[in-house]
Amino acid sequence: MIDLTLTEIAAATDGRLIPGPADPGLVVSGVADTDSRLITPGDIFVAKPGEETDGHLFADAAVANGAALLIVERELAVAVPQIVVDDSVTALGALATEVITRVRALGRLRIVGITGSNGKTTTKNLLAAVLERVGETVSPKASFNNEVGAPITMLRVTNETRFLVAEMGASGIGEIARLIRMAKPDIGVVLKVGLAHAGEFGGIEATVTAKTEMVSELLPEDVAVLNLDDPRVAGMADATRARVLWFGLDDRAAVRATDIVATASGTAFTVHLPDGSSAPVRFKVLGEHHVMNALAAAAAAHELGVKIDLIVDALESVSRAERWRMEPLGGRDDVSIINDAYNASPDSMSAAIRTLAQIGAERGRTIAVLGAMSELGDWAGEEHDRIGLQVVRLGIGRLVVVGPEARRMHITAINEGSWDGESVYFATADEAFAYLSAEIAPGDTVLVKSSNAAGLRLLGDRLGELYA
């Protein structure tokens, strides 16, 4: 974070400063966090009340870890300065807005905002890998993309930062707009609109409205990077004043991929850019669907002046999308474990299963270990049915369904009528692990896929360790 005095931080957050033993002119430059365990000397601890606990209870731990300042909603008996605000999350966003405004005034910082129902974190990682080769780049840790995580990322910006890659997620209308008011992008990227979080949004049309916020506030001098292959995203061109740069597999896309070949070691393709340049890419990230994320990253990088050779070199340097996202594990006895259980929506689940069918056919038997897809609301039943049918119709060798919320996939697979014992169900991950430990054979390719809430990412890790 840039240097700010206690008085400046209090003014930015509209809070009441209690300087304690420190002078109001004390300069603070540490990053902010709501987790006391992550606080290091000089940092700002933001005490956020939560559904299960209250951050104010961990203020002493934050001070013990070296916090220089607390942002709180009630005055505490601590030995460091504190700023009392009405709402700590709102104050966090206001502080991020102040920092971004000051740094942008220097004329160096360029901001890329990324949203979509799927692929945000992968695209963020790919773009950051490119831009880090050009200048100081700040991007979110993991999936820091909400009203808390996004401003925490923004506050890591310094006067030397060239690029901020901001992942912007939402579970309702207005949330992306709120993040954009903190840090309006120069380039807004929309990847895909699907049923992820549809239960929270209230339907696909509400999801479209929310994701459109990424480009509706852009200025004519800005750029909207839009997926031409997704009709819902393509329709956003009518909602923005910015210049539109299309990416996709469609021949009309200015940034596109051709000659795509998916294998067990990644995906090969040729990338084409608007300046007429093209180059082959040997992309190590598993799954043909991640080519679209690579194209989005390439489009944003191109708009920031990065040449194709550097873009390709950076894309080829990335070996996995993210922890627990199409992460290749195992190897012993030629067993391949693909741990993709950090998140799941109907689109990402379907894409992962198609990848399993594609790359597993080269090797031997395929096994899909699937858990529930969360936050689908009224669409949950039919979407789990659709996945069960897809597993059968793609000829996956064995389906292992884990958890009561996912059991419908197992029933649907059985009812499809073409299998006899190829689908099994277990209530817990421990039961599934015991079964798989005895069932997996040399040469098998195993996909572990579920929403984060289902907890199968740990099952994937256990299987990876078993066959390491």
Side-chain angles (χ1 to χ4, degrees), residues 261-284:
V261 179
T263 70
S265 58
T267 308
F269 64 95
T270 299
V271 62
H272 304 262
L273 297 182
D275 60 5
S277 61
S278 63
V281 181
R282 299 188 65 83
F283 195 39
K284 299 184 184 70

Side-chain angles (χ1 to χ4, degrees), residues 381-450:
E382 63 184 81
E383 291 302 323
H384 282 88
D385 286 345
R386 187 172 66 84
I387 294 301
L389 291 173
Q390 182 186 23
V391 169
V392 176
R393 292 170 182 175
L394 287 179
I396 302 301
R398 182 62 50 92
L399 172 61
V400 180
V401 177
V402 185
E405 295 82 4
R407 189 169 182 268
R408 191 159 169 168
M409 282 190 284
H410 168 62
I411 299 301
T412 300
I414 292 174
N415 289 342
E416 180 67 358
S418 63
W419 279 12
D420 180 16
E422 287 91 345
S423 180
V424 295
Y425 167 75
F426 298 100
T428 69
D430 285 342
E431 292 173 308
F433 178 77
Y435 168 80
L436 289 163
S437 298
E439 178 66 22
I440 293 173
D444 284 350
T445 302
V446 184
L447 168 70
V448 183
K449 178 71 173 172
S450 74

Side-chain angles (χ1 to χ4, degrees), residues 141-188:
K141 301 174 182 177
S143 294
F144 276 28
N145 61 25
N146 62 11
E147 62 181 358
V148 175
I152 285 175
T153 298
M154 296 170 191
L155 287 170
R156 289 168 45 215
V157 166
T158 71
N159 290 332
E160 286 70 47
T161 302
R162 288 279 309 280
F163 306 106
L164 168 63
V165 181
E167 182 180 336
M168 297 182 176
S171 57
I173 293 173
E175 294 181 8
I176 291 176
R178 177 180 179 178
L179 299 179
I180 285 174
R181 285 193 292 272
M182 298 178 197
K184 186 195 71 64
D186 301 290
I187 300 173

Side-chain angles (χ1 to χ4, degrees), residues 252-463:
R252 297 170 297 168
V255 179
R256 68 187 188 280
T258 59
D259 309 317
I260 300 173
V261 179
T263 70
S265 58
T267 308
F269 64 95
T270 299
V271 62
H272 304 262
L273 297 182
D275 60 5
S277 61
S278 63
V281 181
R282 299 188 65 83
F283 195 39
K284 299 184 184 70
V285 178
L286 294 180
E288 184 177 322
H289 53 293
H290 283 305
V291 170
M292 293 296 286
N293 301 326
L295 291 178
H302 172 77
E303 282 298 322
L304 292 169
V306 184
K307 299 301 183 184
I308 193 168
D309 290 348
L310 193 152
I311 291 173
V312 170
D313 187 56
L315 292 177
E316 292 185 337
S317 73
V318 179
S319 60
R320 67 179 185 184
E322 176 64 273
R323 181 84 165 97
W324 299 311
R325 288 176 171 89
M326 297 302 287
E327 182 179 14
L329 302 171
R332 180 172 62 82
D333 296 334
D334 199 28
V335 171
S336 177
I337 309 294
I338 304 171
N339 194 352
D340 192 28
Y342 183 82
N343 220 333
S345 68
D347 288 332
S348 67
M349 181 79 82
S350 179
I353 293 168
R354 289 197 305 272
T355 297
L356 175 64
Q358 285 178 319
I359 68 177
E362 307 172 4
R363 298 165 41 82
R365 188 175 59 157
T366 52
I367 301 175
V369 184
L370 306 181
M373 299 177 287
S374 302
E375 301 174 350
L376 293 179
D378 294 340
W379 293 268
E382 63 184 81
E383 291 302 323
H384 282 88
D385 286 345
R386 187 172 66 84
I387 294 301
L389 291 173
Q390 182 186 23
V391 169
V392 176
R393 292 170 182 175
L394 287 179
I396 302 301
R398 182 62 50 92
L399 172 61
V400 180
V401 177
V402 185
E405 295 82 4
R407 189 169 182 268
R408 191 159 169 168
M409 282 190 284
H410 168 62
I411 299 301
T412 300
I414 292 174
N415 289 342
E416 180 67 358
S418 63
W419 279 12
D420 180 16
E422 287 91 345
S423 180
V424 295
Y425 167 75
F426 298 100
T428 69
D430 285 342
E431 292 173 308
F433 178 77
Y435 168 80
L436 289 163
S437 298
E439 178 66 22
I440 293 173
D444 284 350
T445 302
V446 184
L447 168 70
V448 183
K449 178 71 173 172
S450 74
S451 286
N452 195 14
L456 295 199
R457 65 192 187 283
L458 303 180
L459 172 60
D461 284 346
R462 292 174 70 187
L463 292 172

